[in-house]
């Protein structure tokens, strides 16, 4: 793999992060001479927080292996929309629990419980 190929792959992986809704994607690749390893440092923003992931492989596995592992990591990430939906569902669940704890009448909680049931079944179908 030439340096131009590596740069092309980095740009492709950064676009893959962007397509999942993440901002400020940045990938650096380094060669550890003394450790004989290749490292990909993947950083991006999800909402207001910065996320970092370091992927290490033996240098003998080559840049193709490193790029493949980085792509597998990115493909395994939930999109920002999925993360936000999960957070919403968890928030509604906490709201229902809080309502039960303080004695909110069932007639107010039942529509929320029905909504949670639908959302949960949609998530299970999607998985």
């Amino acid at each position: 793999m030439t340096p131009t190929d590596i740069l092309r792959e980095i740009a492709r992986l950064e676009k893959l992060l962007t397509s999942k809704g993440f901002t400020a994607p940045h990938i650096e690749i380094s060669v550890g001479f003394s450790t004989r390893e290749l490292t990909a440092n993947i950083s991006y923003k999800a909402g207001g927080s910065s996320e970092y992931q370091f992927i290490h492989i033996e240098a003998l596995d080559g840049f193709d292996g490193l790029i493949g592992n980085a792509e597998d990591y990115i493909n395994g990430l939930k999109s920002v929309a999925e993360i936000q939906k999960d957070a919403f569902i968890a928030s509604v669940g906490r709201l229902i629990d809080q309502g039960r704890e303080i004695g909110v009448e069932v007639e107010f909680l039942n529509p929320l419980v029905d909504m949670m049931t639908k959302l949960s079944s949609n998530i299970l179908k999607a998985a």
Side-chain angles (χ1 to χ4, degrees), residues 36-58:
R36 293 192 167 99
E37 69 180 12
L38 302 175
T39 301
N41 174 6
I42 302 171
S43 64
Y44 54 92
K45 290 189 178 183
S49 66
S50 295
E51 303 292 330
Y52 302 93
Q53 178 67 34
F54 293 92
I55 298 172
H56 305 279
I57 67 166
E58 292 184 26

Side-chain angles (χ1 to χ4, degrees), residues 27-81:
I27 298 174
E28 292 181 3
I29 292 181
S30 62
V31 178
F33 180 75
S34 62
T35 59
R36 293 192 167 99
E37 69 180 12
L38 302 175
T39 301
N41 174 6
I42 302 171
S43 64
Y44 54 92
K45 290 189 178 183
S49 66
S50 295
E51 303 292 330
Y52 302 93
Q53 178 67 34
F54 293 92
I55 298 172
H56 305 279
I57 67 166
E58 292 184 26
L60 293 175
D61 293 332
F63 288 104
D64 288 326
L66 183 64
I67 298 294
N69 287 359
E71 186 170 12
D72 289 346
Y73 168 76
I74 294 168
N75 284 332
L77 292 172
K78 289 184 176 184
S79 70
V80 170

